[in-house]
Amino acid sequence: MTDRFRITLAQLNPTVGDLAGNAAKARAAWEQGRDAGADLVALPEMFITGYQAQDLTVKPAFVAAVRDEIESLAEACADGPALTIGGPSVGEDLRLHNSYFTLDGGQIASVVHKYFLPNFNVFDEVRLFSRDMMQGPVAVRGVRIGMPICEDTWYPDVVEALEESGAEFLLVPNGSPYFRDKFETRLNHMVGRVIESRLPLIYLNMVGGQDDQVFDGGSFVLNPGGENVVQLPVFEEVVSHVDLERTPDGWRALPGDFTQHPGDMEQDWRVMVTGLRDYMAKTGFAKVLLGLSGGIDSAIVATIAVDALGAENVRCVMLPSEYTSEASLEDAKAVAEALGCRYDFVPIAATRDAVTQTLAPLFEGTEPDLTEENIQSRIRGLLLMALSNKFGEMLLTTGNKSEVAVGYATIYGDMAGGYNPIKDMYKTRVFDACRWRNANHRDWMKGPSGEVIAERIIDKPPSAELRDDQKDSDSLPDYPVLDGILKILVDEDGSIADCVAAGYDRADAKKVEHLLYISEYKRFQSAPGPRLSNRAFWLDRRYPIVNRWRDPS
């Protein structure tokens, strides 16, 4: 009977659908573990497929390819430590499961299936997978290891069953995406499990971006009583060795790698950078472009893009009209120069005149209104998309969560683009994030340090500059009010009465509610962007486009 056990934790970044690439990463981690004398090398939940693969996981040809890849991986890793890795599998009941494979001695030694299937926020696992009966621990090198999968540890039942059936410690593979303060939520749940079971717990998460979700890693190891003895970095690929020792009181994890995590603003910025960087790399794009207006939203998106991809891969385009102020012209150019990226100047006046003349016979007898403002935005979208097509650069759109919520954007105009890095960041937090970035620089940022977004961009009143003397506040409540109401209606799923109780004017709350509901069709056609909160637009919040209900309170 062994008295020491070494687990190599592979906190890595898979790519959805890249079975061979993910298997190659797993094998490389296994080789590191073998060379370090590990007994077991562990990969996260659904690592072989990437996560979340959504309906791809129910395609029979895909599931068969997963099985072939797992079997090949087992053969390749026959001589050395056991290897655990997550993926879909068809069980003895002929139903599809979210499973965790143990590979040992050149074969699949065991398969456990997830019991609790999350069906909330971004998760649809009840729709994709079937629940199996609770299973016992898996024996590896004579040690009985409980392997509850992610959600199985958010409730006491599975861990209690594993402890009662002889598990000596717990290995928990996860695919847990980021939202603000998520780590503390995870940690609190896991502390509950180790206190109840009196077993050490190894929490292994993946990292990297997938569509709108970013997995933040931050894997950790707890001893009975809740002491955190290992804590891996957030957002970084890490292979770390964890040693456990048998004591008279049972197994205990020895202190190991321990990284303090940064604050929530830095983590938000890292999510936006990682989300864009991985979205580009995993879809095959190398360069981006965006319209740089001289305002704060395009300035922060340009900065995120340079931090993610490098200045040489970012093109900023100023598309001025007669309504563009001299200050905006100066500010846009200053941002591009501070970041060191390409800056193109493409006036829209001639194109706008041509469109105006073309439409003049049809518009005869009407007064200029929002239509003419939207034409400007759509001309900009047309020109930017032309540049995207010609040069193979992905267009980034730059609407913050406040604008996305109330539809303060032009569909087929400034909403055009393949990705929106600030889609889940409210306008008031955009201001704070810009100031944070000016004051802070990290080695994972490819952009320059120092002030890259001038204070006067942050301080000036926001404006779309589609007519003379236009301000956002002409159409919307001031952003502190707007964001306060939106946080109640969207993030907290609150009511108009809740808004009034919080001190907001009822008329403002009703206006925001109306704009929120009638803008649903725009959000259905909007670009994806990284999820920062647990109420991001898309999978976290699913409302019908056609909806006549309004809160009567």
Side-chain angles (χ1 to χ4, degrees), residues 231 480 529:
Q231 183 167 288

Side-chain angles (χ1 to χ4, degrees), residues 43-350:
L43 279 298
E45 176 184 16
M46 294 293 285
F47 187 84
I48 194 68
T49 61
Y51 195 58
Q52 298 188 64
Q54 299 182 335
D55 283 10
L56 186 59
T57 56
V58 299
K59 192 174 185 67
F62 181 71
V63 176
V66 168
R67 183 76 181 194
D68 290 344
E69 199 68 57
I70 291 281
E71 289 176 348
S72 296
L73 184 61
E75 293 174 3
C77 300
D79 186 17
L83 175 69
T84 53
I85 187 168
S89 75
V90 177
E92 293 180 0
D93 55 5
L94 301 182
R95 297 187 298 176
L96 188 67
H97 299 278
N98 178 335
S99 304
Y100 201 55
F101 298 81
T102 300
L103 314 181
D104 200 8
Q107 61 186 358
I108 299 173
S110 70
V111 185
V112 298
H113 305 311
K114 194 171 185 176
Y115 183 76
F116 286 113
L117 302 174
N119 202 52
F120 54 85
N121 292 115
V122 298
F123 299 104
D124 282 315
E125 292 205 359
V126 169
R127 183 171 166 272
L128 301 173
F129 300 113
S130 294
R131 174 190 277 194
D132 198 3
M133 296 182 295
M134 291 190 191
Q135 296 165 271
V138 175
V140 178
R141 306 295 182 268
V143 180
R144 294 172 61 82
I145 305 172
M147 298 183 184
I149 303 170
C150 196
E151 192 78 5
D152 288 343
T153 55
W154 287 61
Y155 311 98
D157 311 56
V158 173
V159 171
E160 180 181 353
L162 287 166
E163 187 268 331
E164 290 176 351
S165 56
E168 297 176 79
F169 60 82
L170 304 171
L171 169 62
V172 187
N174 291 267
S176 181
Y178 174 87
F179 62 74
R180 207 170 292 123
D181 300 324
K182 180 73 172 288
F183 179 81
E184 292 303 320
T185 302
R186 295 182 194 126
L187 186 63
N188 289 338
H189 278 283
M190 297 309 107
V191 167
R193 300 296 83 80
V194 300
I195 289 174
E196 292 159 359
S197 67
R198 301 177 300 281
L199 297 176
L201 183 149
I202 299 165
Y203 184 102
L204 174 60
N205 197 17
M206 63 176 62
V207 293
Q210 169 59 31
D211 295 345
D212 65 319
Q213 296 163 46
V214 174
F215 297 88
D216 54 323
S219 304
F220 56 88
V221 179
L222 301 177
N223 272 327
E227 180 190 10
N228 191 355
V229 294
V230 173
Q231 183 167 288
L232 301 188
V234 286
F235 307 107
E236 294 180 13
E237 288 194 296
V238 176
V239 174
S240 180
H241 311 295
V242 174
D243 291 315
L244 295 103
E245 186 174 74
R246 192 190 300 273
T247 74
D249 296 319
W251 287 92
R252 296 293 182 268
L254 303 180
D257 298 334
F258 201 98
T259 302
Q260 295 293 340
H261 295 168
D264 62 356
M265 185 63 79
E266 179 171 337
Q267 291 198 44
D268 274 7
W269 194 276
R270 186 77 181 266
V271 168
M272 295 186 291
V273 168
T274 299
L276 175 58
R277 184 181 291 163
D278 276 5
Y279 191 79
M280 295 287 291
K282 293 178 181 182
T283 56
F285 283 88
K287 295 177 179 289
V288 297
L289 78 155
L290 66 142
L292 192 62
S293 67
I296 192 170
D297 293 327
S298 61
I300 191 175
V301 170
T303 307
I304 292 165
V306 171
D307 279 349
L309 307 171
E312 69 277 11
N313 294 314
V314 179
R315 179 200 301 256
C316 294
V317 186
M318 162 54 90
L319 302 110
S321 74
E322 67 268 34
Y323 302 118
T324 304
S325 68
E326 189 64 31
S328 291
L329 294 172
E330 294 171 359
D331 291 342
K333 188 175 183 181
V335 168
E337 289 178 346
L339 292 171
C341 53
R342 176 169 177 163
Y343 177 74
D344 292 325
F345 188 80
V346 184
I348 68 169

